[in-house]
Amino acid sequence: MTTILTPASDDGPGRHGIGARLAPAPGDGRAGEWADKLFTAVRAADEYSALDVVTNALEAGLDAETVLLEVVGAVQHKVGVEWAAARMSVADEHAATAINDRVVAALPVQRPDTFLGRITVACVDREWHALPARLLAETLRLRGWQVAYLGAQVPTAHLVGQIHRTGADAVCLSAALSTRLPPAHAAITAVQAIGTPVMVGGLAFGADGRYARRLGADAWAPEARAAADRLSAGPLPRPRPPHQVADDLPHLTDQEYTLVSRSSRTLVRDTFRRLRERFPAMADYDDDQRERTAEDIAHIVDFLTAALYVDDDDLFTGFLAWTADVLTARGVPDRSLLPALDLLDEQLRDFPRARRVLAAGRTTLTTRPETHTPEVRP
């Protein structure tokens, strides 16, 4: 198996597969010019020039929300595209994200005389991609809401405690990575259990919101403006009475997700060992290559378990297609993913849903065209 070239940092877009980048926001035609200037600044890791771009854009007549979503958000999307095409390193991506976060903090927000209400905005547990949630929080502030922005990776118990203290009218949860759907579901049901409605957003929930509906969220929005518009239109529907996870996802009663998830470390370890036995060339891998190969197998297992959780083959095949695009951009054959799928299939013979998902993944890889232009997938 040829090692998959995933970045070494836990916040890189490609490390986790699909879902890590923002989609560009349509709107003010003037924003594109300023987005180009901001990208030039962040590409050079020049924070001062980036701040100047934002200041000048505001002085030129762009409103703060446009700058927030159509300049900063569009640049962050482009950063993800450039990483996927191997034109930016992980270090470059991190520098750009940090500068964009600093730019967001510099945007002026006028305190309204009367707040529209209280909203808590947070990333679900284990979700590190915080900028989409930050953009939503700032959009809501600009529109007159009092916002408690909790940032990345908020444990569900602490989220519920914060809501009890602040009395939020609604909670907005963000998740960029579909592997975070199980903790997202736990957060949704826990918040609803105390009578607070939940809106979710982020690419983890699907470009069409399919996983938001499947997990029982009270509302879903594809991007920050849509979320703000929905909250302004009136209160979210009151959540259902407390219920069990299986009420939303009855297929979980077969225990496949639970058993595969609990054995994930063993699956990764045994798949890596069997790869070494089956492909003697791995004996010549250096430490970095071996570590990356083990990480790649772990990503495959993570997305397999997420697909089992929501019982959706597309979640897994979308991850494999995105990963294959990234591999192609780096000159690594996308068929290098197949041996790991075969070995997992051998170990999961007693799990029909898992084998179905793996078979769908194998079909996705074997039917791909020889060349494919990499892009950030929704």
Side-chain angles (χ1 to χ4, degrees):
M1 180 180 181
T2 304
T3 186
I4 302 171
L5 300 183
T6 48
S9 164
D10 208 33
D11 217 18
R15 178 180 174 88
H16 310 282
I18 62 173
R21 292 296 131 214
L22 302 162
D28 194 320
R30 299 172 298 169
E33 175 187 354
W34 294 104
D36 290 341
K37 293 178 180 180
L38 181 60
F39 180 77
T40 299
V42 301
R43 188 67 181 86
D46 187 345
E47 180 178 317
Y48 296 106
S49 293
L51 291 168
D52 288 343
V53 169
V54 169
T55 300
N56 293 337
L58 293 170
E59 291 176 350
L62 268 67
D63 62 82
E65 184 174 307
T66 297
V67 172
L68 189 69
L69 301 180
E70 299 178 37
V71 178
V72 180
V75 166
Q76 192 68 14
H77 170 76
K78 186 173 182 179
V79 167
V81 172
E82 293 297 290
W83 181 90
R87 292 189 292 265
M88 289 184 75
S89 70
V90 175
D92 293 333
E93 188 266 341
H94 280 203
T97 301
I99 291 173
N100 278 336
D101 197 62
R102 176 71 179 88
V103 165
V104 170
L107 286 172
V109 178
Q110 297 295 323
R111 181 186 179 94
D113 295 331
T114 303
F115 288 108
L116 298 177
R118 293 175 178 268
I119 305 293
T120 292
V121 178
C123 295
V124 303
D125 199 5
R126 292 186 284 164
E127 176 58 70
W128 286 100
H129 294 90
L131 191 57
R134 178 79 186 276
L135 293 180
L136 171 60
E138 298 305 322
T139 300
L140 293 175
R141 286 195 181 102
L142 288 170
R143 295 202 184 186
W145 295 89
Q146 186 168 3
V147 180
Y149 169 63
L150 308 186
Q153 188 173 273
V154 181
T156 296
H158 295 274
L159 172 64
V160 170
Q162 194 271 350
I163 297 166
H164 273 301
R165 290 191 301 273
T166 62
D169 299 305
V171 173
C172 295
L173 294 177
S174 175
L177 305 170
S178 51
T179 52
R180 308 312 186 223
L181 288 175
H185 195 193
I188 291 168
T189 55
V191 172
Q192 290 174 332
I194 61 173
T196 303
V198 179
M199 174 185 284
V200 299
L203 295 178
F205 297 99
D208 57 357
R210 67 178 68 179
Y211 304 128
R213 294 186 290 274
R214 201 164 298 182
L215 301 186
D218 300 298
W220 165 79
E223 43 81 31
R225 277 203 178 108
D229 289 344
R230 174 62 188 85
L231 289 169
S232 297
L236 298 181
R238 303 310 301 173
R240 293 175 293 162
H243 57 282
Q244 300 298 315
V245 167
D247 294 333
D248 296 324
L249 304 173
H251 58 268
L252 293 180
T253 57
D254 68 9
Q255 296 296 301
E256 282 206 33
Y257 164 76
T258 300
L259 294 172
V260 174
S261 179
R262 288 177 179 174
S263 63
S264 60
R265 291 187 180 181
T266 301
L267 287 170
V268 173
R269 183 185 66 240
D270 289 353
T271 301
F272 182 78
R273 175 179 56 80
R274 295 184 188 191
L275 275 175
R276 295 185 67 176
E277 295 171 353
R278 192 167 296 187
F279 300 99
M282 285 184 64
D284 296 326
Y285 279 10
D286 58 28
D287 289 343
D288 183 62
Q289 287 176 308
R290 283 191 291 271
E291 180 180 352
R292 287 173 180 268
T293 300
E295 291 173 348
D296 301 334
I297 297 168
H299 299 329
I300 292 172
V301 172
D302 285 345
F303 276 87
L304 172 63
T305 55
L308 290 174
Y309 191 84
V310 295
D311 197 33
D312 192 330
D313 299 356
D314 290 345
L315 188 155
F316 187 66
T317 59
F319 154 70
L320 288 179
W322 188 93
T323 302
D325 288 350
V326 174
L327 292 179
T328 299
R330 285 153 174 73
V332 179
D334 55 20
R335 303 305 194 271
S336 63
L337 295 163
L338 288 169
L341 302 188
D342 293 337
L343 289 171
L344 287 169
D345 185 76
E346 292 175 12
Q347 297 170 79
L348 295 171
R349 290 196 177 279
D350 295 329
F351 298 91
R353 286 203 297 122
R355 297 193 70 193
R356 184 200 74 208
V357 173
L358 289 167
R362 192 179 297 108
T363 299
T364 294
L365 292 176
T366 55
T367 57
R368 281 171 53 82
E370 291 299 318
T371 58
H372 194 76
T373 303
E375 62 177 340
V376 174
R377 292 174 58 88

